[in-house]
Amino acid sequence: MLLCAGLPLFFMELALGQYVSLGPALLFPKLAPIFSGLGWGMVVIPLLTALSFNVIIAWAFFYIFASFGSVLPWSRCDNDFNSINCFTDREAEFCRNSSLVYYNRTCLSVGDYCSLADLKELNGTHCHDPANGSSWVQPVETVLTRISASEDYFKNRMLGVTGRSWDDMGGLRWELVGCLALAWVIVGACLARGIKSSGKVVYFTALFPYVILAILFVRGITLDGAVKGIEFYFLKPDFSRLLEVEVWSDAAIQIFYSLGVSFGCLVTLSSYNKFNNNCMRDAIIIAFSNCSTSVFSGFVIFSILGFLATELGVEVKDVASSGSGLAFIVYPAAVSLLPLPQLWSVLFFVMLINIGLASQLTMVETVTTALFDLVPALRTRKPIVVAGVCLVIFLMGLSMCLEGGILMFELFFWYSAGISVIILGLVQIVGIVWVYGIRRFLSNIKEMGVYIPAPLKAYWLITWVFITPVILVLICFFYIYFFVPAYWGEYVFPDRIQALGWLLSASSMGLIPLGALVAICKTRKSFRELFQTSPDLCPAHVRSQRSQQKDPVVSFVYDNEAFQESRAKVYPDLPSSE
């Protein structure tokens, strides 16, 4: 998916934004009036994503504050908030030495433990059900559900989600509200001074995580059971899964989400580039570095999952439910096993905040840039505008700080940037290739001084013209045909909530037909004119010259200079006049 869809669109957006120096809200109406809604769709997606993304940063702050205790609270099961199923190997060791089984903060005999599941003791390590015959035997470790202390902390202490549903979302978790407010204050402070200051911040936020990941990788592969996790992750793939449409659609959405394709962020940030920046080199390096980092972090997380699977006596796939909270279950378990765990915990969650800020700054910058493009007078009041945007999104995100807020978080995570980014990417590539013209686009890239070798040129052409559009169409079709409703753990959201999720998706991709309809009704242009590119879709310095030529005096100067230049070419022997 990186080679067939992610990288081609990544380079296309970088080149497009760099060439015209405009944000998506102004760029696509100039590409063709029929695409007026595409740019605003690309603004809505980062708006919705930023709403939920800062909640992850708030979670990280929550864990940082909890790390300053004498013991990390997610490393043991003797806290007031722990459930009866909480289990850690260190606390169970004392029971094992006495041939007992650890359960609900105490040691039980094997017989008592088996009876909790309506079973009988077979021997010191197994239970059985006499009603089903002696052939039905189960190891003691698998009789009752066990969850790690880190998962118990995440669900019961921080979220307080146990027993919650869409019919009972509970009250606000005020500690999370405070952490969310702190996260938005930091985002606003970073962006208030403009794009250059946020760019300098990202130099640190992008590089620091590699240091922490390397440390956790070394610790992870030395844990008991790490090989089991790495085998599950990388060495024993199940190729039959490639026949499942969900795997391909998940891969595409992950690539789009990870690279920021169709979010409008790439167009926005590349619009600040120098005109002759080698954006093709940037696209290739960033895309492969990004995905290589994902693969590397997978080794870290699955080595720890293998350890937790060994500790809990279950398979790797059963250690923890997948989802956006997985990092807050696996990584905290890892740092609790390091020397000076409080220090490493703080460093890890500072790293997680850095990763979040790197994305969050970009998404909020896309939203504010769209506002500045819409109302240029606001540029002189950037700090106020940034503060206003952050405040509004903070208030919108308070629903995710409820005790059942993780359900709202997952709904946004599932629908706000799922099929929407695929459809926006498809419309974008159709607009560039078939309306603007692929030859004209390649000419623009050449005009910026970007040299494309013949093999790469063939790759860009075949992906832009054929492979990427076809793949995106297929993914859209199969995504809808084999639709999987949103869920969290074992809880599948009700139909009315699924409908709300589709409205979230429609809030971005629905702007495409809405923008086209507005262009048709407002401009009264012919069908052909709706697909014509504006002369203003050109480099910023050309637009500047054109705007200056509207002044009669400036126009005379430009016309006179042009006349003198052409005159010198035709009559090189004549002296030039002042």
Side-chain angles (χ1 to χ4, degrees):
M1 279 300 160
L2 171 68
L3 293 174
C4 296
L7 181 57
L9 279 170
F10 190 84
F11 176 40
M12 175 177 281
E13 292 191 14
L14 285 188
L16 189 62
Q18 181 173 306
Y19 183 74
V20 298
S21 299
L22 293 172
L26 285 185
L27 190 156
F28 289 102
K30 296 181 186 298
L31 178 71
I34 199 71
F35 296 117
S36 296
L38 176 59
W40 285 106
M42 288 187 173
V43 173
V44 171
I45 285 181
L47 171 64
L48 297 177
T49 307
L51 193 155
S52 57
F53 217 84
N54 233 25
V55 174
I56 297 177
I57 298 177
W59 293 349
F61 274 118
F62 188 97
Y63 273 76
I64 284 178
F65 296 141
S67 299
F68 289 101
S70 57
V71 177
L72 294 180
W74 55 83
S75 65
R76 51 201 300 177
C77 293
D78 58 354
N79 304 289
D80 294 337
F81 56 81
N82 285 125
S83 66
I84 60 175
N85 295 321
C86 182
F87 181 89
T88 65
D89 193 62
R90 280 183 287 189
E91 290 175 313
E93 184 67 27
F94 174 79
C95 298
R96 277 199 298 266
N97 292 336
S98 303
S99 299
L100 300 173
V101 184
Y102 180 83
Y103 180 74
N104 193 17
R105 310 178 202 178
T106 188
C107 296
L108 299 177
S109 66
V110 174
D112 291 340
Y113 187 78
C114 293
S115 66
L116 294 173
D118 296 326
L119 301 174
K120 298 295 183 180
E121 178 184 358
L122 179 66
N123 52 43
T125 58
H126 288 76
C127 303
H128 76 116
D129 185 359
N132 290 326
S134 58
S135 60
W136 197 93
V137 179
Q138 194 170 358
V140 169
E141 293 83 2
T142 61
V143 167
L144 296 175
T145 301
R146 291 176 173 180
I147 62 174
S148 64
S150 57
E151 183 176 2
D152 209 35
Y153 181 86
F154 176 72
K155 291 181 178 179
N156 294 320
R157 173 62 183 93
M158 188 183 74
L159 298 179
V161 70
T162 301
R164 298 299 174 187
S165 67
W166 281 102
D167 297 319
D168 180 17
M169 295 288 282
L172 282 171
R173 307 283 287 184
W174 288 106
E175 295 165 309
L176 282 180
V177 172
C179 292
L180 183 62
L182 175 60
W184 277 113
V185 168
I186 293 174
V187 170
C190 290
L191 289 175
R193 296 185 61 187
I195 190 69
K196 288 186 177 180
S197 62
S198 60
K200 293 174 183 176
V201 171
V202 171
Y203 275 111
F204 175 76
T205 61
L207 296 176
F208 177 68
Y210 286 97
V211 178
I212 303 298
L213 276 178
I215 294 169
L216 291 177
F217 173 73
V218 173
R219 181 63 180 117
I221 61 176
T222 60
L223 294 172
D224 292 336
V227 174
K228 181 179 179 181
I230 293 174
E231 283 182 350
F232 179 83
Y233 170 56
F234 204 75
L235 299 179
K236 294 182 179 179
D238 180 5
F239 289 108
S240 65
R241 297 292 305 278
L242 293 177
L243 300 177
E244 298 178 17
V245 175
E246 185 182 358
V247 171
W248 291 92
S249 62
D250 282 351
I253 292 170
Q254 168 61 22
I255 285 294
F256 275 52
Y257 201 97
S258 184
L259 292 178
V261 173
S262 298
F263 278 66
C265 305
L266 299 176
V267 174
T268 299
L269 293 185
S270 63
S271 69
Y272 292 96
N273 279 352
K274 294 179 181 179
F275 184 72
N276 59 352
N277 177 63
N278 191 339
C279 54
M280 183 180 71
R281 174 203 61 200
D282 292 349
I284 294 172
I285 293 175
I286 292 171
F288 279 98
S289 299
N290 178 79
C291 292
S292 298
T293 303
S294 297
V295 173
F296 174 61
S297 63
F299 277 100
V300 179
I301 204 166
F302 274 90
S303 64
I304 301 165
L305 281 173
F307 163 75
L308 291 177
T310 302
E311 183 180 65
L312 298 175
V314 297
E315 294 298 320
V316 175
K317 61 184 178 64
D318 300 322
V319 173
S321 57
S322 63
S324 47
L326 185 61
F328 289 87
I329 296 172
V330 176
Y331 286 118
V335 297
S336 67
L337 302 173
L338 294 171
L340 301 174
Q342 291 87 347
L343 172 63
W344 289 113
S345 178
V346 171
L347 289 176
F348 169 75
F349 287 108
V350 167
M351 177 206 78
L352 207 62
I353 290 170
N354 286 334
I355 294 174
L357 282 176
S359 299
Q360 190 72 359
L361 295 176
T362 305
M363 290 186 286
V364 179
E365 183 74 37
T366 300
V367 176
T368 56
T369 297
L371 292 176
F372 296 143
D373 287 344
L374 185 65
V375 186
L378 292 176
R379 294 183 186 277
T380 57
R381 301 171 180 251
K382 178 158 189 174
I384 297 176
V385 173
V386 169
V389 169
C390 292
L391 177 61
V392 170
I393 305 179
F394 163 71
L395 295 174
M396 293 170 64
L398 286 178
S399 61
M400 299 181 189
C401 295
L402 294 168
E403 291 175 335
I406 185 66
L407 305 179
M408 181 67 75
F409 177 90
E410 285 293 333
L411 184 73
F412 269 75
F413 195 77
W414 195 276
Y415 284 103
S416 64
I419 189 64
S420 308
V421 293
I422 303 295
I423 291 178
L424 263 63
L426 176 61
V427 174
Q428 176 185 212
I429 202 167
V430 168
I432 296 296
V433 173
W434 302 108
V435 176
Y436 183 70
I438 190 64
R439 293 186 182 277
R440 189 197 296 190
F441 185 59
L442 287 172
S443 176
N444 296 156
I445 295 173
K446 184 178 180 181
E447 185 181 341
M448 291 187 292
V450 178
Y451 170 70
I452 306 178
L456 275 177
K457 187 174 183 180
Y459 165 72
W460 299 127
L461 280 172
I462 195 172
T463 51
W464 286 338
V465 174
F466 178 71
I467 294 177
T468 304
V470 168
I471 284 180
L472 296 184
V473 168
L474 290 175
I475 287 175
C476 289
F477 172 77
F478 287 117
Y479 181 91
I480 296 171
Y481 188 79
F482 297 100
F483 173 69
V484 177
Y487 60 89
W488 189 68
E490 300 296 326
Y491 177 47
V492 179
F493 296 168
D495 291 341
R496 70 182 189 278
I497 303 301
Q498 306 291 348
L500 179 62
W502 279 109
L503 287 176
L504 278 176
S505 296
S507 66
S508 55
M509 59 186 182
L511 291 177
I512 299 174
L514 181 62
L517 184 62
V518 170
I520 293 170
C521 299
K522 187 176 180 180
T523 61
R524 304 287 183 180
K525 292 185 177 182
S526 66
F527 180 79
R528 184 176 181 180
E529 289 174 325
L530 289 171
F531 290 88
Q532 287 182 342
T533 300
S534 168
D536 288 336
L537 193 73
C538 57
H541 63 272
V542 176
R543 289 197 303 274
S544 177
Q545 289 179 3
R546 289 175 180 172
S547 64
Q548 289 175 329
Q549 286 177 355
K550 294 178 182 178
D551 186 313
V553 176
V554 177
S555 177
F556 168 77
V557 173
Y558 272 86
D559 290 344
N560 187 52
E561 288 179 350
F563 167 76
Q564 294 292 347
E565 183 179 351
S566 61
R567 178 177 177 273
K569 291 180 180 178
V570 179
Y571 305 105
D573 297 332
L574 293 178
S576 61
S577 59
E578 292 295 329

